[in-house]
Amino acid sequence: MRMGFKKVFQRGRRCVALLVFAALFTALLSHPSAAPAAAQGQTGLVLAFYYAWYSPGSFGPGITPWQPPAPYYSSDAGVIQRQVSQAQAAGINGFVQSWYGPQTTNNQTETNFQTLLNIAAGSGFKAAVDFETAGPFFASNDDRINALRALRDTHANHPAYLRVDGKPVVFFWANWVLTPADWVTIRSAVDPDRTMIWIAEGGNTSYLNTFDGLHLYNTAWSSNPAGTAVTWAANTRAAAATYGGYKYWVATAMPGWDDTLVGRGDAAFVRNRADGNYYRSSFGGAAASAPDMLIITSFNEWREGSNIEPSVEHGEFYLQLTAELSAAYRAGSLPTYPLPAIDPTADPNATPTTSPATVTPGPSPTPTQTASPAPTTPPTNTPPPTATQTPIASPTAAADGRILYIIQPGDTLLIIAARFGVPVADLYTLNNLTADSLLSVGQEILLGYSVLPDGSTLLPGFPQARQKPDGAIVHIVQSGDTMFGIAAIYGLTLAELLTVSGLAEDTLLQVNQEVIVGHKPQPQEVGGSSIDGRDAAPSLTDATMEPTIAPSHTPTQAAYPAAATMTPQPTATVQTIASAMTPTSIPTPVAAPATGSAAPTAAPFDFNAIMPYALAAIGLLFLAGAGFLLLARRR
């Protein structure tokens, strides 16, 4: 009797051992540390901003500075297929398309984005949304929340939607029409667990409390695109210390700019393409800032003259040049070209006189030793390297928002001002310097601020002006200031200044007092299409509007056709091609309830997330069963 009990006990111990092994096996499979940590950023991706609201009437002399070989409908799936193929051949990985939300009535940004995703999926191309914060279908933050939820639950799950570090990426235009606090509320309602990557536009790093990264849409105003890219890259990286988490920097490359036909008055300008040299300088500067992604402004923004899509004037020159620059960027062999000397009197619409070598995107071949050809005169559009082309010293961004620069040999205030696009008067004021001040190598000087400690920003060209978080423009009083003198600085009459500031003419001003001199304009709707600050041409004579003096804080983009005029006649190819290339169906977003907030859609079931636990449970059951069978057979 005791022997039988001992045998049973021994067999039981074997079973316990098997069960312990199974438990350890389960823990090994399910422990979070068993999964390798995902690397962040530095993707090598080349993207391009893309627009999907054109009809043949969108083009023509007096409307666009360049003309397409054939005017087109953006809703034509054959056109979208051609554009995707052209972009891929040029080394572009994906389009970032402006999007007005999930409504399908009179909103082809939605229907065309569906077609773009389906076409992209057939060739490995990617697409993401540039969320138009002040779009015509967003009357409130509830509308924005519902639209972003629809994006999260539909398009973001499409196989062709752009993902970085395993998360869908959403770009935002005009995020600055809302306060950082507004965005905290919106993000909490849409994506509280940060399962997406949100990229804000502009240079205000206070938005990085909510957003995961920054990009600048337009850098053509900069006299030094390389320095601009490096400066804002440093700003973005430094914000991680303030707000936590990884902060993505998306650098911008541009072939040129011409928004003189958009109706912006004196705010419009031209950045001459200089036979492709400006694109080389801009692309090289973007690459030198070590971006997580590089984005081109733009593939087809025709109204602002920043398109690389083929035109009558340039042919396929800029697509071929994009292929050359993209391949060099991925190979790590793209130099930082100096900004080309541009004749301001030259015709900005001149056709390039040289063509880049045609480059087939793909892995760069392994270099081999070959005999050097006889020396030839370099083409005019490729600056030859010289001993004097040394890297430009980069500013750094301090945690408190200051942008600092260390004086290098040969630097003068005039050189620094020209290099970084900072008025000399600002450098004097910010650093308590005068025209007679001597600089010394290694001296640290202040170039400006991204965001001041109180949340306000400086306005270049107006060293005593600040833009407050609520949009108010204030003048900081200094010794000797008078109401009449302040009005003259900002182009106001005394009566206008008194009205906007709320002060009396005989007010006794105090040093460091803040006097309101204007306000940032609020978005308006004209013809059903949101202007969101892009077409506004602020004047210093309008006491309710901000001075037009801060391109780094208020980048401009195009005005677009009114929503009522954007829907072209349907073409025979749209439904045929789109349906033939549809790998998966995209659910139509359900309209939000009348109460204002849509019920969140359940997230898709992720079987992979429970796979380790399922395998462990099966193994445990198998081992337990084997143990009990063994025990039963030996009784």
Side-chain angles (χ1 to χ4, degrees):
M1 182 73 176
R2 283 190 302 226
M3 284 295 293
F5 177 80
K6 182 176 181 181
K7 288 181 180 180
V8 170
F9 178 75
Q10 288 174 341
R11 291 167 189 159
R13 285 196 304 175
R14 294 191 189 102
C15 291
V16 170
L18 287 171
L19 292 174
V20 170
F21 173 78
L24 291 174
F25 181 66
T26 301
L28 179 63
L29 285 177
S30 61
H31 197 278
S33 64
Q40 285 189 291
Q42 304 297 306
T43 64
L45 289 172
V46 175
L47 309 171
F49 283 111
Y50 174 78
Y51 301 93
W53 39 46
Y54 293 117
S55 65
S58 304
F59 311 98
I63 302 174
T64 52
W66 322 108
Q67 309 308 323
Y72 59 80
Y73 285 111
S74 290
S75 61
D76 188 329
V79 169
I80 299 174
Q81 179 68 70
R82 168 182 60 76
Q83 292 170 327
V84 167
S85 297
Q86 288 173 329
Q88 281 191 298
I92 296 171
N93 302 107
F95 284 153
V96 178
Q97 183 203 297
S98 282
W99 187 68
Y100 281 156
Q103 295 86 349
T104 56
T105 302
N106 203 24
N107 176 26
Q108 63 175 320
T109 68
E110 165 63 11
T111 53
N112 291 348
F113 189 66
Q114 292 181 19
T115 305
L116 172 61
L117 283 172
N118 293 331
I119 289 175
S123 58
F125 198 64
K126 298 298 178 182
V129 154
D130 191 15
F131 186 82
E132 294 271 340
T133 304
F137 298 100
F138 305 139
S140 67
N141 282 346
D142 280 345
D143 292 340
R144 297 180 180 98
I145 288 170
N146 292 333
L148 287 166
R149 282 174 173 167
L151 174 66
R152 176 198 66 194
D153 297 335
T154 58
H155 299 323
N157 295 314
H158 194 285
Y161 196 91
L162 175 68
R163 286 178 171 265
V164 168
D165 296 330
K167 300 178 180 181
V169 180
V170 184
F171 285 76
F172 288 77
W173 166 254
N175 47 271
W176 26 264
V177 303
L178 303 179
T179 67
D182 285 330
W183 285 111
V184 170
T185 301
I186 293 172
R187 186 86 189 248
S188 297
V190 177
D191 186 33
D193 297 327
R194 303 297 178 102
T195 60
M196 310 169 83
I197 294 174
W198 287 17
I199 305 295
E201 198 281 330
N204 189 340
T205 56
S206 65
Y207 286 93
L208 290 175
N209 181 39
T210 299
F211 289 87
D212 306 299
L214 286 180
H215 78 285
L216 303 178
Y217 178 82
N218 178 10
T219 58
W221 48 265
S222 173
S223 60
N224 176 25
T228 297
V230 171
T231 297
W232 289 111
N235 263 9
T236 304
R237 304 299 190 200
T242 302
Y243 300 113
Y246 188 85
K247 299 303 178 185
Y248 294 84
W249 163 243
V250 184
T252 303
M254 301 183 67
W257 180 268
D258 183 353
D259 64 344
T260 54
L261 299 177
V262 176
R264 294 178 177 148
D266 293 340
F269 69 98
V270 175
R271 172 61 71 181
N272 195 302
R273 294 194 174 204
D275 224 21
N277 280 344
Y278 184 77
Y279 196 22
R280 292 183 175 89
S281 177
S282 177
F283 210 110
S289 68
D292 296 300
M293 293 167 268
L294 188 151
I295 194 162
I296 299 165
T297 303
S298 63
F299 183 80
N300 65 335
E301 209 337 330
W302 288 89
R303 296 196 68 199
E304 292 174 339
S306 68
N307 58 288
I308 61 171
E309 187 175 21
S311 64
V312 171
E313 297 81 4
H314 300 129
E316 296 190 356
F317 177 87
Y318 285 97
L319 281 183
Q320 294 173 11
L321 185 53
T322 301
E324 176 185 311
L325 296 170
S326 297
Y329 166 56
R330 293 192 179 94
S333 59
L334 185 64
T336 303
Y337 295 96
L339 184 71
I342 298 176
D343 180 1
T345 65
D347 180 6
N349 298 330
T351 302
T353 57
T354 57
S355 296
T358 300
V359 176
T360 301
S364 300
T366 303
T368 57
Q369 295 293 330
T370 58
S372 300
T376 59
T377 302
T380 58
N381 66 332
T382 306
T386 67
T388 60
Q389 288 183 6
T390 55
I392 297 174
S394 302
T396 58
D400 61 0
R402 291 179 300 154
I403 301 175
L404 304 172
Y405 175 76
I406 305 299
I407 300 297
Q408 306 295 309
D411 277 346
T412 66
L413 287 181
L414 287 175
I415 290 175
I416 294 169
R419 180 181 300 159
F420 299 110
V422 180
V424 176
D426 285 9
L427 294 178
Y428 289 150
T429 301
L430 292 170
N431 296 280
N432 295 318
L433 300 175
T434 68
D436 299 325
S437 298
L438 297 177
L439 302 179
S440 58
V441 175
Q443 178 182 348
E444 184 178 76
I445 66 170
L446 178 61
L447 298 182
Y449 293 85
S450 56
V451 181
L452 293 166
D454 66 353
S456 62
T457 55
L458 284 175
L459 301 180
F462 292 74
Q464 290 175 249
R466 306 286 187 271
Q467 179 177 309
K468 309 297 282 187
D470 63 359
I473 307 298
V474 300
H475 172 88
I476 308 301
V477 175
Q478 294 186 0
S479 178
D481 280 351
T482 65
M483 293 296 288
F484 184 81
I486 294 172
I489 290 174
Y490 300 98
L492 304 172
T493 66
L494 182 59
E496 288 171 337
L497 176 61
L498 297 178
T499 298
V500 73
S501 67
L503 301 177
E505 184 175 355
D506 58 353
T507 296
L508 188 62
L509 299 175
Q510 304 292 327
V511 173
N512 293 326
Q513 178 181 347
E514 294 184 350
V515 176
I516 297 176
V517 295
H519 293 87
K520 182 177 180 178
Q522 296 301 308
Q524 306 175 45
E525 289 191 5
V526 178
S529 178
S530 176
I531 297 301
D532 60 43
R534 283 180 250 196
D535 282 340
S539 166
L540 292 179
T541 60
D542 185 347
T544 65
M545 305 181 79
E546 65 176 329
T548 310
I549 50 180
S552 61
H553 295 287
T554 56
T556 55
Q557 195 181 346
Y560 305 114
T565 65
M566 290 197 303
T567 304
Q569 296 299 316
T571 61
T573 59
V574 175
Q575 306 227 345
T576 306
I577 297 178
S579 60
M581 300 194 67
T582 303
T584 59
S585 61
I586 303 177
T588 301
V590 179
T595 53
S597 81
T601 304
F605 181 72
D606 186 359
F607 183 74
N608 291 331
I610 67 165
M611 179 68 77
Y613 302 98
L615 291 175
I618 293 171
L620 180 61
L621 291 172
F622 175 79
L623 292 173
F628 284 115
L629 283 174
L630 178 63
L631 181 62
R633 288 180 59 186
R634 293 197 176 186
R635 283 186 176 184

